[in-house]
Amino acid sequence: RRLKPLRTVVAWRGRAEWDQVMVGLYCGDSRLQQDALDRVSAWKSRYGPKMPLAVDCTAELIRCKVLDSSGRLKSHELILSYGLALVRFVNLITERKQKMVSIPLRQLAREVDIPIWVVDLRHELTHGKLPRLALCRKGCDVVLDWLRKMYWSRQLGNNLREESEDEDEDEEEEQEEMEANAELDSDGW
């Protein structure tokens, strides 16, 4: 007798809404990005503290880019906006790896494949002289790319997979996934 898979309650209506938001956030069109940000805000109101950190961080960084492209903020205000989003990203992503002992952020960042210079940028934003806007923009782009690769593309079908990846690799992964699911089925799940 097979057990039914457990259902998880999430804030989004389904895969189509998730995919639409994911594409909207990364599309580069400010209007579509704003629509996706509004949807993430709705998710957050439904999901509260259970919202995945990566979704939250992505939304904060995209919000900075939308504000930047609007031309409504001065350079200093944009640096502060990008800075807060970058500091929160590094802190939230690395804090899960912190144990009872304090581990240096650079080591934690290396473990999760975040570029060390992003951690250094976070350090400057927190403790030093504010960096140039161009560096904050670059940090935002790098972190958004990291989030896309490490989180978004791994969710619900790898929709934002790198185009350069080989199709044979895709087929192999699908075959391995089908085999793994078959093993689970035969183990009584």
Side-chain angles (χ1 to χ4, degrees):
R1 181 176 160 185
R2 286 178 54 180
L3 295 175
K4 290 183 181 179
L6 295 176
R7 292 185 177 236
T8 304
V9 177
V10 293
W12 38 94
R13 290 185 193 137
R15 180 181 175 145
E17 183 180 54
W18 175 273
D19 290 349
Q20 183 180 17
V21 167
M22 181 172 50
V23 169
L25 288 170
Y26 281 94
C27 73
D29 179 326
S30 295
R31 188 183 55 77
L32 294 175
Q33 286 177 316
Q34 187 57 58
D35 290 344
L37 289 172
D38 293 343
R39 180 61 34 209
V40 170
S41 292
W43 292 354
K44 200 168 183 175
S45 69
R46 288 186 210 136
Y47 223 37
K50 294 180 185 176
M51 178 67 89
L53 292 177
V55 173
D56 217 9
C57 288
T58 304
E60 288 180 26
L61 290 160
I62 293 295
R63 191 169 286 111
C64 292
K65 291 181 77 67
V66 168
L67 283 169
D68 194 349
S69 68
S70 75
R72 293 187 307 224
L73 295 181
K74 295 177 183 169
S75 178
H76 184 73
E77 295 168 320
L78 285 170
I79 291 170
L80 293 175
S81 182
Y82 279 117
L84 178 60
L86 289 166
V87 167
R88 281 184 49 79
F89 164 77
V90 172
N91 289 352
L92 291 172
I93 297 300
T94 57
E95 95 178 338
R96 290 186 153 207
K97 302 275 293 173
Q98 284 285 9
K99 309 284 187 250
M100 296 298 261
V101 236
S102 184
I103 302 171
L105 277 181
R106 291 172 138 245
Q107 181 181 335
L108 293 172
R110 221 180 338 267
E111 287 178 21
V112 294
D113 207 23
I114 296 171
I116 297 301
W117 73 266
V118 172
V119 174
D120 293 341
L121 177 60
R122 174 235 170 250
H123 185 80
E124 283 302 308
L125 286 159
T126 307
H127 304 290
K129 182 180 166 195
L130 289 178
R132 295 180 338 269
L133 178 56
L135 188 57
C136 291
R137 285 175 175 149
K138 175 71 176 164
C140 179
D141 290 340
V142 166
V143 167
L144 282 169
D145 189 53
W146 185 91
L147 284 162
R148 182 182 54 78
K149 288 176 184 169
M150 301 304 286
Y151 180 76
W152 290 98
S153 67
R154 293 180 177 187
Q155 303 299 313
L156 298 174
N158 297 316
N159 292 359
L160 294 180
R161 187 175 279 236
E162 293 290 321
E163 289 180 18
S164 62
E165 288 185 21
D166 191 24
E167 285 182 25
D168 291 341
E169 188 178 296
D170 293 349
E171 289 174 13
E172 284 178 26
E173 287 177 7
E174 287 176 12
Q175 183 63 31
E176 288 173 7
E177 187 176 320
M178 286 172 34
E179 289 170 4
N181 287 340
E183 286 176 24
L184 285 177
D185 288 345
S186 66
D187 289 339
W189 285 97

